[in-house]
Amino acid sequence: NDTGSVFVQISDENVHHVREILDEVFGLSNFMGQISFIKTAALVGAHLSSNYDYILWYAKDKSIVK
């Protein structure tokens, strides 16, 4: 649908790669936002734990998105 959106959930490890692909597919101008949220369970290790995941929001056409 012309007023549609797509939401992609991704970890912090690959968010930059997925963002590059989505920018190419939908166009940088149709990027709506990056939403971060705390996961219920995080991997704990010797280094920084991954407490967050991200949702990338793209519109088919930002000017008419609902």
Side-chain angles (χ1 to χ4, degrees):
N1 192 327
D2 289 337
T3 60
S5 296
V6 64
F7 296 88
V8 178
Q9 180 179 343
I10 189 75
S11 70
D12 62 341
E13 294 174 343
N14 293 308
V15 69
H16 57 289
H17 294 303
V18 173
R19 176 98 192 259
E20 290 172 344
I21 293 168
L22 293 173
D23 282 346
E24 189 165 324
V25 171
F26 292 98
L28 182 60
S29 63
N30 288 314
F31 174 70
M32 297 295 292
Q34 179 172 307
I35 304 160
S36 60
F37 65 95
I38 298 176
K39 296 186 290 188
T40 56
L43 300 174
V44 178
H47 303 289
L48 293 174
S49 63
S50 178
N51 293 334
Y52 291 90
D53 263 2
Y54 300 92
I55 297 174
L56 300 175
W57 177 17
Y58 282 81
K60 185 172 181 182
D61 184 344
K62 189 175 186 175
S63 65
I64 58 173
V65 71
K66 288 186 177 184

